[in-house]
Amino acid sequence: VTTNGTLRMYKSNLMQTTGSLNSAMTKLMTQRNFNSYASSPAAATRAFKIHSSLNATRVQASNNETVKNKFDTAYQVLDIVGSDIADSMAKIPALEGLNGPNETNVNELGKVLRSGAESIVQSMNSQYDSKFLFGGADTENPPFAIEEGDDGRSYITFRGVRIDDPDTLDDTYYADPDKQTGAIMIDDPNAPGGQRPMTNEEVLNMWNEETQFVDIGLGFKLDKNGDVVDSTAFDSALSGIDFIGYGMDKEGYPNNMASLMLRMAEIFEGYDTETNEWANPGDYEEAEKLLNKMNDSRDHIIQKWSALSAESTFLNTNATQLETTFASLNTERSTIEDIDMVDTITELSWAQVCY
């Protein structure tokens, strides 16, 4: 064995032991089983997939929390509308106004009813995280308002369209009524050119069915047309007209409580407290009908409130499931990436002895 051969062998062994020592020291300091893809290709590939799943789960959990808080806020708002306002500012003053001994107070009760309708509009314009809760897909603008008509009556509007005016529901909707431009078109084989402008009622129906899908871990997928598959995402859109109702019933009365309260307020405010006479014949009978309609509208709100409660419960359950999924993925990631301290310290000690 030559001197040069011995030196080469010595330097080779020295480099190997030095490399082993540095590798063991790095492994203990970083507490990772590998620090490059080349160190362990199979483990690194699996770890990359797990990190991707962890990031996706983290985003889904954040989305779920945001939607859950939004729905919880909406639940509280509907609770106020369907219980507090519906009782203290609608049913009670309506009953008092229809009760004989309170005839001298009918005008004031009308003001209470009008104030209650305004309170419903304000409540339905509530915000969460600077976004309007009940605007459907449009969360940037207040959805509801009270508009004074040329006939002296007050009407409720949703995104600028009256929801309780039988004279305009069948009219064409325009973005700018003065210029009559920006009409929303719909396919109609019987119309010239195969299209016609949508009516107000059709626009309200369209807005009521708007969706705002959010990925909360249900297997988010798109179909061949690029549209979200409904069963793989959660619809976070809350359309206010779906909760309080819109349009007119078969008898020509509004389907929402705020509009019914405005109609009854107009009747009460027109009552002559000096002569104890109603402004028009049949006002008392109409007010009784309005009271019954308000009870039906309140029942509708409570049903929607209950359905919203079920959605909130699902979101709470889904949040728990996402936490479990995240914990399981993180455990698997730790098994692949994180070191065993006993084995790593033993490896470092042996590398030091060899060096």
Side-chain angles (χ1 to χ4, degrees):
V1 179
T2 64
T3 301
N4 287 337
T6 301
L7 292 174
R8 281 197 298 271
M9 183 65 68
Y10 170 77
K11 286 191 290 185
S12 176
N13 291 336
L14 179 61
M15 293 301 295
Q16 288 179 6
T17 54
T18 301
S20 297
L21 179 60
N22 289 335
S23 176
M25 293 174 62
T26 302
K27 188 174 181 180
L28 183 61
M29 287 187 295
T30 61
Q31 297 188 11
R32 290 175 53 86
N33 281 322
F34 54 88
N35 290 286
S36 67
Y37 184 82
S39 300
S40 181
T45 300
R46 179 57 186 157
F48 177 81
K49 292 180 179 179
I50 293 176
H51 275 287
S52 179
S53 298
L54 282 170
N55 291 332
T57 304
R58 189 180 291 110
V59 171
Q60 291 161 357
S62 176
N63 291 342
N64 190 91
E65 182 67 17
T66 299
V67 176
K68 184 175 74 69
N69 291 338
K70 173 183 175 180
F71 274 51
D72 288 344
T73 304
Y75 178 86
Q76 295 170 3
V77 171
L78 286 179
D79 186 22
I80 294 173
V81 172
S83 58
D84 297 346
I85 297 178
D87 286 336
S88 62
M89 304 185 75
K91 186 176 181 178
I92 293 176
L95 287 172
E96 290 180 356
L98 293 173
N99 190 9
N102 294 306
E103 290 176 345
T104 57
N105 202 29
V106 172
N107 296 153
E108 295 302 319
L109 293 172
K111 294 179 181 179
V112 173
L113 285 163
R114 185 176 295 276
S115 178
E118 294 172 352
S119 297
I120 290 178
V121 169
Q122 292 169 358
S123 296
M124 297 304 292
N125 284 338
S126 297
Q127 292 178 284
Y128 171 74
D129 193 24
S130 301
K131 303 292 183 181
F132 289 95
L133 286 171
F134 298 103
D138 181 9
T139 59
E140 300 298 326
N141 303 293
F144 289 95
I146 297 179
E147 182 177 275
E148 299 300 327
D150 296 334
D151 56 359
R153 305 186 73 174
S154 300
Y155 296 94
I156 305 294
T157 64
F158 178 74
R159 288 160 67 169
V161 176
R162 293 181 183 178
I163 67 175
D164 54 359
D165 187 355
D167 295 331
T168 62
L169 286 173
D170 292 333
D171 290 347
T172 300
Y173 167 78
Y174 293 103
D176 188 342
D178 297 328
K179 298 180 181 179
Q180 294 194 348
T181 59
I184 301 177
M185 307 301 291
I186 187 175
D187 293 335
D188 186 350
N190 299 321
Q195 284 192 325
R196 64 169 176 81
M198 297 178 71
T199 64
N200 282 339
E201 189 169 13
E202 289 172 335
V203 170
L204 290 172
N205 290 335
M206 178 184 68
W207 286 341
N208 190 42
E209 296 174 357
E210 284 180 333
T211 56
Q212 197 172 36
F213 289 114
V214 179
D215 181 12
I216 60 170
L218 303 179
F220 193 85
K221 287 185 180 180
L222 302 177
D223 60 20
K224 60 182 180 181
N225 297 321
D227 298 323
V228 178
V229 179
D230 294 359
S231 60
T232 66
F234 186 84
D235 183 11
S236 65
L238 296 173
S239 177
I241 53 177
D242 180 46
F243 291 100
I244 67 171
Y246 67 100
M248 316 296 290
D249 63 14
K250 295 180 180 179
E251 297 182 80
Y253 290 98
N255 284 326
N256 75 88
M257 179 172 288
S259 299
L260 292 168
M261 292 168 67
L262 287 175
R263 299 293 175 270
M264 186 171 284
E266 292 165 358
I267 292 176
F268 280 10
E269 289 168 351
Y271 183 81
D272 191 336
T273 56
E274 295 183 357
T275 62
N276 291 336
E277 293 181 354
W278 299 94
N280 301 299
D283 274 358
Y284 183 84
E285 290 74 15
E286 184 177 0
E288 287 184 318
K289 282 188 177 181
L290 288 170
L291 177 59
N292 293 329
K293 300 290 183 181
M294 281 196 294
N295 289 331
D296 294 339
S297 179
R298 181 179 182 274
D299 291 341
H300 171 80
I301 294 175
I302 291 176
Q303 289 176 359
K304 292 295 181 179
W305 176 69
S306 299
L308 192 62
S309 175
E311 300 250 358
S312 297
T313 301
F314 166 76
L315 290 169
N316 285 325
T317 303
N318 191 64
T320 303
Q321 178 60 42
L322 288 171
E323 291 176 2
T324 302
T325 301
F326 188 89
S328 298
L329 288 170
N330 199 42
T331 299
E332 185 176 357
R333 178 210 59 78
S334 177
T335 301
I336 296 173
E337 292 185 344
D338 296 345
I339 62 172
D340 182 291
M341 291 298 291
V342 175
D343 291 343
T344 303
I345 293 173
T346 302
E347 182 182 342
L348 176 60
S349 300
W350 177 248
Q352 289 173 330
V353 171
C354 292
Y355 177 78

